[in-house]
Amino acid sequence: GTIPSQMGLLDGSLKRLFLSNNTFTGTIPFQVGQLEGASIMLKDNGFNTSTTAPRSLCMLVSVKEFDLADDTILCPPERNALSDFYDVAKGAEWTDGTNWRDEYASYCEWKGVTCDGTHVTKLNLTNNGLSGRMSERIGNLTFIKVLDLSDNNIKGSIPAELGKLSKLVYLRLSYNAFTGAA
């Protein structure tokens, strides 16, 4: 069977949820990811791997620990990098953040993201109200070819991790508020 979504009602009281080594199937309910400060242990079950674990659970937004956070099928590294990018660039204030906060939507369906299969090849968020700064985890998008974040208000320095993007052929960061020495 599945994990009941009502587990999320235990928020505030439950500190450790151990459901490892069972025969749970289906999708991990996003409510489990809302258990503030809890440790979530779900390894060795039969969860549906055609869908991902809830984004907030993988990113440890509310929970303290999730034993499947490093599972690249349930918690894809590129989705985690994009989620961190969203948070650091004040995504809640963007002009259009379609699907970026959806717990289960494929990151390939997020506004401005283009994928080739499961890998991000393009991120185009030009003139979309981005502010904050650019996350260093942008360097985890190792298949990206096009990165256009122009005409926004991103501050701070350009992360050195951009240098890890060996497939990058187009980079446009103009008309932002970046600082730093040349």
Side-chain angles (χ1 to χ4, degrees), residues 37-146:
S39 295
I40 311 297
M41 305 299 160
L42 303 177
K43 276 189 178 171
D44 298 320
N45 278 287
F47 295 115
N48 183 355
T49 55
S50 66
T51 186
T52 56
R55 184 197 50 76
S56 60
L57 185 59
C58 293
M59 293 298 297
L60 307 177
V61 171
S62 295
V63 302
K64 182 172 82 174
E65 179 182 11
F66 176 44
D67 67 344
L68 294 172
D70 291 329
D71 183 305
T72 59
I73 303 295
L74 291 172
C75 297
E78 289 183 277
R79 181 181 72 167
N80 294 345
L82 288 168
S83 291
D84 187 62
F85 175 83
Y86 177 90
D87 292 337
V88 172
K90 298 186 178 180
E93 301 172 6
W94 293 359
T95 305
D96 186 354
T98 302
N99 289 335
W100 279 76
R101 297 311 278 175
D102 189 289
E103 292 287 347
Y104 299 103
S106 167
Y107 52 92
C108 298
E109 297 170 4
W110 295 358
K111 165 69 178 171
V113 177
T114 304
C115 295
D116 177 8
T118 59
H119 295 295
V120 176
T121 56
K122 181 178 182 180
L123 181 59
N124 183 352
L125 293 169
T126 186
N127 194 26
N128 199 40
L130 281 67
S131 59
R133 50 185 190 79
M134 189 187 307
S135 168
E136 294 81 13
R137 290 182 74 183
I138 197 84
N140 294 348
L141 302 176
T142 55
F143 290 87
I144 198 163
K145 297 176 183 174
V146 175

